[in-house]
């Protein structure tokens, strides 16, 4: 998923796309901020990543799966969700459609 997110960030950030990764650690060593920073650098992640050690954001979205992608429109509403890998063309089309919508 990260390569696609990286490409979308590079291609659409100038048009208003904001990608925020949510890191909900599975293992104890993943809770360490320095380890997360190292992983972000190692994986060349150019977008923001929130550290969600308590899982508050994970639960707020009623998420049970990884990876999960959510597209939120300019009004703050979830307009698209995809669970798992794949559907990259479909997701990119949804990104393009949401970016083309007028700002409220």
């Amino acid at each position: 998923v990260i390569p696609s997110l990286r490409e979308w960030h590079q291609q659409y950030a100038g048009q208003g796309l904001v990608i925020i990764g949510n890191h909900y650690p599975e293992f104890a060593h993943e809770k360490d901020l320095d380890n997360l920073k190292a992983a972000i650098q190692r994986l060349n992640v150019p977008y923001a990543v929130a550290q969600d050690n308590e899982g508050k954001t994970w639960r707020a979205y009623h998420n049970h799966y990884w990876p999960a992608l959510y597209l939120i429109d300019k009004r703050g509403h979830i307009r698209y969700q995809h669970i798992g890998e794949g559907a990259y063309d479909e997701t990119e089309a949804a990104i393009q459609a949401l970016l083309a919508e007028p700002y409220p």
Side-chain angles (χ1 to χ4, degrees):
V1 173
I2 291 173
S4 293
L5 292 171
R6 187 183 306 115
E7 287 178 26
W8 295 331
H9 171 77
Q10 291 169 349
Q11 186 167 355
Y12 299 111
Q15 298 175 45
L17 178 67
V18 177
I19 296 177
I20 302 171
N22 186 66
H23 175 68
Y24 180 36
E26 184 176 3
F27 303 105
H29 72 277
E30 294 175 341
K31 291 182 178 185
D32 182 271
L33 181 58
D34 289 332
N35 290 340
L36 176 58
K37 288 178 179 179
I40 289 168
Q41 189 172 37
R42 183 178 69 254
L43 296 170
N44 189 28
V45 174
Y47 48 84
V49 177
Q51 187 171 24
D52 190 20
N53 283 350
E54 304 299 319
K56 291 181 181 182
T57 302
W58 178 272
R59 285 190 296 281
Y61 283 83
H62 305 286
N63 196 32
H64 299 283
Y65 308 100
W66 186 92
L69 300 176
Y70 298 88
L71 297 183
I72 300 168
D73 69 13
K74 296 169 185 172
R75 291 186 172 97
H77 300 107
I78 297 172
R79 297 275 299 278
Y80 175 88
Q81 179 180 0
H82 179 75
I83 303 299
E85 296 184 26
Y88 299 112
D89 291 339
E90 176 185 307
T91 302
E92 185 168 9
I95 290 168
Q96 292 170 346
L98 288 173
L99 289 173
E101 292 181 357
Y103 189 75

